[in-house]
Amino acid sequence: MEIQVLDPARVDEFVAVFRAAHDVDHPQDPAYALRHEALRILNPTPDEPITHFMVLEAGRIVAGAHLRVPELDNTHSVFVEIIVDPDARRRGIARELWDFLTARALGLGRKLVLFETAIGGAGEAFGRSINGEVGILDARRRLVVDTANLAVAAELKAEALTHADGYELVSYVGSTPEQWIDGVAYLVGRMSTDAPMDGLDWQAEAYDANRIRMQEAATVRQELTVFSTIAVHTATGTVAGFTNIGRAVDDGTNVHQWNTIVDPDHRGHRLGTLIKIANLEQARQREPGIGAVWTWNAVSNDPMIRVNEAMGFRLWDHWGEWQVRL
């Protein structure tokens, strides 16, 4: 077995291993988006450099790993992902990759390793075998975009509007308009302080307009379509709420909910509900084939879970955000 930095010319072979694992580990999930994953690997965001490693046996890729290194904040940590081809499992490859990645992390002066796995499968068993701790338990939910749920959304929006006098909704696709960029950056930064972190050793993230622009540029290179909606307090021009969802280039049916946040000074006006529904509306107008929205929340995030379940999101599975101290 040989571990090498990924040769970009072999990225299609690399992501094929990830698809094979996905098909075995998550057979009920949407199909693995091969082109999206290849583009994501080839076009990372510069704020968190990432190195990809391939494991070779007789010249064939049998496993892969990612090592992501935050540089603007949380510089005590790294993120890792390890995937082994189902045909090559139970031979100690994952453990060898883990030892390799943790040695790299220590060499970078990092003392905390973070990773995610589904609860109830091989990933959870591996996490426990290396003395991992679940810092956040997440619940993944799916919204089926059908006539019944769209009718519910319309009712929720109409009711929420009665609480939102003095606010304007602005929806856009792609890059954030310049007049709103600082407000969006402020709210995205608050995602790491306002959303529950439970037991995860994670500190406030440093966001400004430049970081948002770096991430937006990366999504263009990754051929992601990003739909965003903000709530603006009309009296002050403050960006009071922000939400966005993304669609991969090779998945016209599923979209993924990313951030949703409302400034604490503007809560109590149903803005979270309003921006999520308005954003789904603009996404469907541009992409009428959207059939499902996927979202993740810490199980402790009761306010956002209430909003999601009112819209029709239903529990799909649970995931752990794990941490191991080196």
Side-chain angles (χ1 to χ4, degrees), residues 201-283:
D201 182 7
W202 192 247
Q203 301 160 8
E205 296 177 7
Y207 267 88
D208 58 14
N210 183 59
R211 189 173 185 181
I212 295 292
R213 292 298 189 216
M214 285 194 297
Q215 293 181 347
E216 290 176 343
T219 64
V220 172
R221 296 190 299 270
Q222 295 165 5
E223 299 182 21
L224 275 164
T225 303
V226 182
F227 305 95
S228 303
T229 294
I230 59 174
V232 178
H233 185 233
T234 53
T236 62
T238 300
V239 179
F242 170 72
T243 191
N244 60 355
I245 55 179
R247 184 185 70 79
V249 63
D250 47 351
D251 188 347
T253 301
N254 296 278
V255 294
H256 296 270
Q257 176 71 58
W258 294 345
N259 298 316
T260 299
I261 186 167
V262 174
D263 189 311
D265 291 341
H266 297 274
R267 291 176 186 168
H269 299 280
R270 310 287 174 88
L271 298 181
T273 297
L274 273 176
I275 58 179
K276 284 174 72 76
I277 293 173
N279 206 36
L280 177 58
E281 288 175 347
Q282 78 145 338

Side-chain angles (χ1 to χ4, degrees), residues 19 68 88 92 105 116 121-122 124 143 183 201 213 227-228 261 280 287 292 301 312 317:
R19 180 179 64 179
R68 179 159 53 94
E116 298 178 350
E124 179 186 4
L143 172 69
D201 182 7
R213 292 298 189 216
F227 305 95
S228 303
I261 186 167
L280 177 58
E287 301 286 350
N301 193 350
D317 59 7

Side-chain angles (χ1 to χ4, degrees), residues 142-154 280 284 288-293 311-314:
R142 179 184 67 158
L143 172 69
V144 176
V145 183
D146 59 14
T147 301
N149 282 330
L150 289 173
V152 168
L280 177 58
R284 289 191 67 252
I290 292 172
V293 184
M311 289 178 63
F313 282 90
R314 295 296 176 258

Side-chain angles (χ1 to χ4, degrees), residues 11-27:
V11 68
D12 290 340
E13 183 184 353
F14 186 75
V15 296
V17 171
F18 281 64
R19 180 179 64 179
H22 170 89
D23 291 348
V24 169
D25 297 335
H26 309 288

